[in-house]
Amino acid sequence: MNQYHHRPCHSCHQPQVSPWQQPPAQPIVCPPQYRVRDSFIPRMQPVIHPIVNVNREHIVNVPQHYFTETNRNVVVNPPLQAYPYPQGGFQQAFQRPFFGPRY
């Protein structure tokens, strides 16, 4: 007969066990869980940032204009012209036309 449905009897002297009251089972031990509390302590560590200043000079070509002058003397022969003689029968002296101050 099933022990859960056992009716008390005077001959077996077994205590009656209710279905809600079971004998304790063997304990199961799980692996431990760790709780880690991290704390931080500041420690100064120098960090060096080198800076190199570079001064650069760039050469730029800039045109500078110079003008040279030369003088040329050119003689231009006038076209041949016949000058009329005045009525006196002799030729007048040639006169140069005046274009500016004479030196």
Side-chain angles (χ1 to χ4, degrees):
M1 184 172 203
N2 192 343
Q3 68 177 355
Y4 296 109
H5 299 290
H6 180 74
R7 292 181 190 243
C9 64
H10 298 289
S11 63
C12 65
H13 298 292
Q14 290 184 352
Q16 181 182 2
V17 177
S18 152
W20 301 108
Q21 287 182 337
Q22 296 294 323
Q26 289 291 338
I28 298 173
V29 179
C30 295
Q33 295 182 359
Y34 293 91
R35 288 186 181 173
V36 177
R37 292 184 192 167
D38 290 328
S39 63
F40 299 94
I41 300 171
R43 178 176 69 178
M44 303 309 266
Q45 179 179 10
V47 177
I48 299 172
H49 299 272
I51 297 175
V52 176
N53 293 319
V54 177
N55 297 320
R56 298 193 302 185
E57 293 182 359
H58 299 274
I59 297 175
V60 178
N61 292 331
V62 177
Q64 186 175 10
H65 299 280
Y66 295 96
F67 298 94
T68 59
E69 292 185 29
T70 56
N71 294 319
R72 292 185 184 175
N73 296 323
V74 177
V75 177
V76 178
N77 290 329
L80 296 177
Q81 289 183 356
Y83 291 102
Y85 289 92
Q87 288 184 352
F90 56 89
Q91 188 175 3
Q92 290 182 348
F94 175 76
Q95 291 184 356
R96 197 177 231 192
F98 179 71
F99 291 108
R102 290 187 184 174
Y103 298 101

